[in-house]
Amino acid sequence: MTLPSPTPLVPGDSEDVDSLASLLRGRRTVVLTGAGCSTESGIPDYRGPGTRARARNPIQHREFLQRPEVRARYWARSLLGWPRFSSARPNAAHQALAELERAGHVPGLITQNVDRLHHAAGSSRVIELHGALERVRCLDCGGNEARAVLQERLLALNPDFNHQVLELRPDGDAELSSEALQSFRVPACERCGGTLKPDVVFFGDNVPAPTVADAFSLLEAGDALLVVGSSLAIYSGYRFLTRAAERHLPIAILNLGECRGVELADLRIEASAGDVLPRLAQALVRG
């Protein structure tokens, strides 16, 4: 299976890029990234221009914990979606942010993404607010398992499960017809037989307090905030915008489509991260 076509680039005006470089030059810029940073790698988002019009039903934390049929639905869809999700590669935006970090302009990243593409691009300090899909955790004994290993167990338990993927989803799973779930078998923890969950924060769950503290500590060490590819619709990301505003830090937002809190920003650019960020790196690192 292959990933869907990456989102086409939407170029930013040269004046916008120049203004962004002027705002951030000489400042240690903390970067907050969302799904819009990865759409150009072929991973869809929930609220971008290409997905906003279509209904989305993300997995809810409480339902996953309480209902076996919800867990079966998630893992069945994940079985089909994982090969495509895990084959995604960093795009120009991820590469540019890693370059800015290496050059000392970015002390670290706070990301809402679960794809680990920042790590793959070479960024070293990445705070993952919502965890990472490459890990699976047992809710009973706390044991961990690599998602790639679990994929083999899913395939072994369901050798005849071969259904058409209707649509890749941001959670790394895929849309799937309900009749396809009739006989799907869900693997248990190999250590204790407990319930397995992807090591991510589902909708309705809370970001772990130590993770939030680390993210705020990083923001406190910065001189500016750059939001990339996030609508800031959920509080887990929006709180960093409001904290930056309280500290009177320069704020820039680079995002396609609607974005919460734009009135707090000094600069808003509606263009592709994969177009603007390499030009920003050119101006700050090599300019």
Side-chain angles (χ1 to χ4, degrees):
M1 290 193 239
T2 58
L3 282 164
S5 299
T7 302
L9 288 178
V10 177
D13 293 338
S14 295
E15 291 184 2
D16 285 339
V17 178
D18 291 343
S19 296
L20 182 60
S22 296
L23 182 69
L24 303 182
R25 184 172 284 111
R27 292 187 167 103
R28 289 169 53 81
T29 302
V30 175
V31 182
L32 170 66
T33 66
C37 194
S38 294
T39 54
E40 291 155 40
S41 293
I43 297 176
D45 56 15
Y46 275 110
R47 302 179 183 85
T51 55
R52 192 181 300 117
R54 299 199 296 274
R56 296 282 185 177
N57 295 300
I59 292 290
Q60 299 292 322
H61 177 69
R62 180 174 295 180
E63 290 188 346
F64 185 91
L65 297 184
Q66 296 179 349
R67 298 173 57 190
E69 68 272 20
V70 172
R71 294 196 290 275
R73 186 172 79 242
Y74 173 80
W75 287 118
R77 297 191 315 198
S78 179
L79 170 62
L80 299 179
W82 175 252
R84 301 167 69 179
F85 184 88
S86 60
S87 69
R89 295 296 176 262
N91 62 54
H94 300 108
Q95 302 287 2
L97 289 173
E99 180 181 3
L100 287 165
E101 182 185 14
R102 288 192 297 270
H105 295 281
V106 169
L109 306 173
I110 304 167
T111 187
Q112 298 172 290
N113 299 339
V114 295
D115 51 41
R116 299 225 123 180
L117 291 181
H118 288 303
H119 295 80
S123 292
S124 59
R125 187 175 185 189
V126 182
I127 297 173
E128 296 170 312
L129 291 177
H130 298 158
L133 275 177
E134 71 171 26
R135 300 186 303 266
V136 178
R137 179 169 55 88
C138 176
L139 297 178
D140 295 277
C141 72
N144 292 301
E145 183 174 357
R147 178 62 185 81
V149 172
L150 182 65
Q151 182 73 2
E152 298 305 314
R153 295 212 286 132
L154 283 164
L155 290 168
L157 280 173
N158 301 278
D160 300 321
F161 190 75
N162 183 19
H163 294 270
Q164 181 183 6
V165 176
L166 303 181
E167 182 183 359
L168 183 68
R169 292 160 48 90
D171 297 323
D173 54 349
E175 292 292 350
L176 187 66
S177 61
S178 57
E179 58 267 21
L181 303 176
Q182 300 286 330
S183 60
F184 188 82
R185 298 178 63 192
V186 177
C189 173
E190 289 191 302
R191 291 172 56 182
C192 74
T195 299
L196 296 176
K197 176 184 176 292
D199 199 10
V200 298
V201 177
F202 281 142
F203 282 79
D205 194 7
N206 296 315
V207 178
T211 302
V212 175
D214 287 346
F216 274 126
S217 178
L218 175 59
L219 184 63
E220 294 297 322
D223 306 313
L225 174 67
L226 171 61
V227 177
V228 177
S230 176
S231 67
L232 299 176
I234 59 176
Y235 181 68
S236 69
Y238 182 70
R239 57 183 148 195
F240 301 106
L241 180 76
T242 57
R243 176 67 67 87
E246 290 169 359
R247 293 190 57 215
H248 305 289
L249 298 181
I251 298 170
I253 295 176
L254 171 59
N255 185 62
L256 285 169
E258 298 174 2
C259 184
R260 183 183 181 191
V262 292
E263 70 280 358
L264 300 177
D266 298 276
L267 178 65
R268 193 279 175 84
I269 300 175
E270 189 160 1
S272 294
D275 172 75
V276 172
L277 292 181
R279 294 156 66 190
L280 175 66
Q282 172 73 33
L284 296 182
V285 179
R286 290 161 275 148

